[in-house]
Amino acid sequence: QVQLVESGGGSVQTGGSLRLSCAASGDTVSRYCVTWFRQLPEKEREGVASISLSGTTTDYADSVKGRFTISRHNAINTIYLQMNGLKPEDTAMYYCAARRCSAFRTGEIRRTDYNYWGQGTQVTVSS
Protein backbone atom coordinates (compact mmCIF):
# COMPACT_ATOMS: atom_id res chain seq x y z
CA GLN A 1 0.00 0.00 0.00
CA VAL A 2 1.22 3.46 -0.88
CA GLN A 3 0.28 6.88 0.48
CA LEU A 4 0.38 9.97 -1.72
CA VAL A 5 0.60 13.64 -0.78
CA GLU A 6 0.43 16.43 -3.36
CA SER A 7 1.92 19.88 -3.02
CA GLY A 8 2.89 22.85 -5.15
CA GLY A 9 -0.51 24.20 -6.15
CA GLY A 10 -1.36 27.86 -6.01
CA SER A 11 -2.78 30.83 -7.84
CA VAL A 12 -1.08 32.20 -10.96
CA GLN A 13 -1.92 34.40 -13.91
CA THR A 14 -2.41 33.19 -17.45
CA GLY A 15 0.92 32.12 -18.91
CA GLY A 16 2.46 31.33 -15.56
CA SER A 17 4.03 28.10 -14.37
CA LEU A 18 3.67 25.74 -11.45
CA ARG A 19 5.44 22.56 -10.46
CA LEU A 20 3.34 20.02 -8.62
CA SER A 21 4.93 17.32 -6.50
CA CYS A 22 3.54 13.99 -5.38
CA ALA A 23 5.38 12.45 -2.45
CA ALA A 24 4.85 8.73 -2.01
CA SER A 25 5.47 6.62 1.07
CA GLY A 26 4.65 3.21 2.46
CA ASP A 27 5.73 1.21 -0.58
CA THR A 28 8.24 1.17 -3.40
CA VAL A 29 6.93 3.79 -5.77
CA SER A 30 8.82 2.28 -8.70
CA ARG A 31 6.25 -0.54 -8.74
CA TYR A 32 3.41 1.86 -9.58
CA CYS A 33 2.14 3.56 -12.67
CA VAL A 34 1.17 7.12 -11.79
CA THR A 35 -1.30 9.54 -13.30
CA TRP A 36 -2.14 13.14 -12.53
CA PHE A 37 -5.88 13.83 -12.69
CA ARG A 38 -7.79 17.06 -12.36
CA GLN A 39 -11.38 17.86 -11.51
CA LEU A 40 -13.69 20.85 -11.15
CA PRO A 41 -16.95 20.73 -9.20
CA GLU A 42 -19.79 19.28 -11.29
CA LYS A 43 -17.38 18.13 -13.98
CA GLU A 44 -15.96 14.74 -14.81
CA ARG A 45 -12.51 13.88 -13.60
CA GLU A 46 -9.94 14.17 -16.37
CA GLY A 47 -6.70 12.30 -16.73
CA VAL A 48 -3.93 14.80 -17.44
CA ALA A 49 -0.62 12.95 -17.61
CA SER A 50 0.61 9.42 -16.93
CA ILE A 51 4.03 7.91 -16.49
CA SER A 52 5.33 4.36 -16.65
CA LEU A 53 7.26 2.47 -13.97
CA SER A 54 10.67 3.62 -15.11
CA GLY A 55 9.56 6.99 -16.42
CA THR A 56 10.54 6.22 -19.99
CA THR A 57 6.98 6.31 -21.34
CA THR A 58 4.41 9.04 -20.83
CA ASP A 59 0.88 9.83 -21.95
CA TYR A 60 -0.81 13.23 -22.01
CA ALA A 61 -4.25 14.61 -22.56
CA ASP A 62 -4.45 16.54 -25.82
CA SER A 63 -5.36 19.69 -23.92
CA VAL A 64 -1.99 19.82 -22.13
CA LYS A 65 0.43 18.42 -24.70
CA GLY A 66 3.38 20.72 -25.18
CA ARG A 67 2.67 22.59 -21.95
CA PHE A 68 2.79 19.97 -19.16
CA THR A 69 5.56 17.50 -18.39
CA ILE A 70 5.28 14.55 -16.03
CA SER A 71 8.40 13.01 -14.53
CA ARG A 72 9.42 10.81 -11.64
CA HIS A 73 12.39 10.42 -9.36
CA ASN A 74 11.93 6.97 -7.92
CA ALA A 75 14.97 7.19 -5.65
CA ILE A 76 13.19 9.82 -3.55
CA ASN A 77 9.65 8.50 -4.16
CA THR A 78 8.48 11.62 -5.92
CA ILE A 79 6.46 12.31 -9.07
CA TYR A 80 6.30 15.77 -10.63
CA LEU A 81 4.03 17.66 -12.95
CA GLN A 82 5.63 20.73 -14.50
CA MET A 83 2.92 23.03 -15.85
CA ASN A 84 3.89 25.84 -18.19
CA GLY A 85 1.80 28.25 -20.18
CA LEU A 86 -1.12 27.89 -17.79
CA LYS A 87 -4.58 28.85 -18.96
CA PRO A 88 -7.77 29.62 -17.01
CA GLU A 89 -9.23 26.32 -18.21
CA ASP A 90 -6.44 24.54 -16.32
CA THR A 91 -8.03 25.66 -13.05
CA ALA A 92 -8.93 22.55 -11.06
CA MET A 93 -8.09 20.37 -8.12
CA TYR A 94 -5.15 18.22 -9.17
CA TYR A 95 -4.77 14.71 -7.81
CA CYS A 96 -1.92 12.27 -7.91
CA ALA A 97 -3.05 8.66 -8.31
CA ALA A 98 -1.25 5.33 -8.50
CA ARG A 99 -1.89 1.70 -9.31
CA ARG A 100 0.25 -1.39 -9.20
CA CYS A 101 1.08 -2.29 -12.76
CA SER A 102 3.28 -4.59 -14.74
CA ALA A 103 2.91 -2.77 -18.03
CA PHE A 104 2.12 0.72 -19.20
CA ARG A 105 -0.84 0.55 -21.56
CA THR A 106 -2.08 2.76 -24.33
CA GLY A 107 -4.76 5.07 -22.98
CA GLU A 108 -3.38 5.03 -19.43
CA ILE A 109 -4.90 8.44 -18.62
CA ARG A 110 -8.37 7.05 -19.33
CA ARG A 111 -8.14 4.08 -16.96
CA THR A 112 -10.65 3.93 -14.14
CA ASP A 113 -8.87 1.48 -11.83
CA TYR A 114 -6.44 3.80 -10.05
CA ASN A 115 -6.93 2.87 -6.41
CA TYR A 116 -4.47 5.01 -4.48
CA TRP A 117 -5.15 8.75 -4.32
CA GLY A 118 -3.78 11.83 -2.68
CA GLN A 119 -5.93 14.58 -1.19
CA GLY A 120 -5.31 16.98 -4.05
CA THR A 121 -3.76 20.39 -4.52
CA GLN A 122 -5.64 23.38 -5.92
CA VAL A 123 -4.47 25.16 -9.06
CA THR A 124 -6.13 28.44 -9.95
CA VAL A 125 -5.27 30.38 -13.11
CA SER A 126 -6.64 33.89 -13.52
CA SER A 127 -6.82 35.98 -16.66
Side-chain angles (χ1 to χ4, degrees):
Q1 188 172 0
V2 65
Q3 293 80 46
L4 306 171
V5 179
E6 303 95 332
S7 63
S11 181
V12 298
Q13 294 185 345
T14 297
S17 297
L18 287 172
R19 188 196 194 196
L20 306 184
S21 296
C22 175
S25 62
D27 202 355
T28 304
V29 74
S30 62
R31 298 181 178 181
Y32 294 80
C33 293
V34 177
T35 293
W36 285 95
F37 294 88
R38 65 186 182 186
Q39 188 171 26
L40 282 168
E42 309 301 326
K43 295 189 67 176
E44 295 294 319
R45 184 167 56 211
E46 175 189 22
V48 176
S50 297
I51 192 164
S52 62
L53 297 173
S54 65
T56 58
T57 305
T58 56
D59 188 27
Y60 296 95
D62 288 342
S63 60
V64 306
K65 287 181 179 177
R67 299 188 297 119
F68 291 10
T69 302
I70 188 172
S71 61
R72 65 193 301 166
H73 191 171
N74 288 339
I76 58 171
N77 291 333
T78 304
I79 301 90
Y80 303 100
L81 183 67
Q82 179 67 47
M83 305 185 295
N84 299 325
L86 285 164
K87 305 174 181 179
E89 52 262 43
D90 295 319
T91 295
M93 184 73 74
Y94 283 72
Y95 298 91
C96 178
R99 67 179 185 91
R100 292 289 300 271
C101 64
S102 58
F104 191 80
R105 302 180 182 275
T106 301
E108 187 71 25
I109 62 172
R110 290 179 287 277
R111 294 186 66 92
T112 60
D113 60 344
Y114 276 79
N115 53 350
Y116 300 101
W117 294 80
Q119 294 300 307
T121 185
Q122 178 68 40
V123 171
T124 302
V125 185
S126 60
S127 60

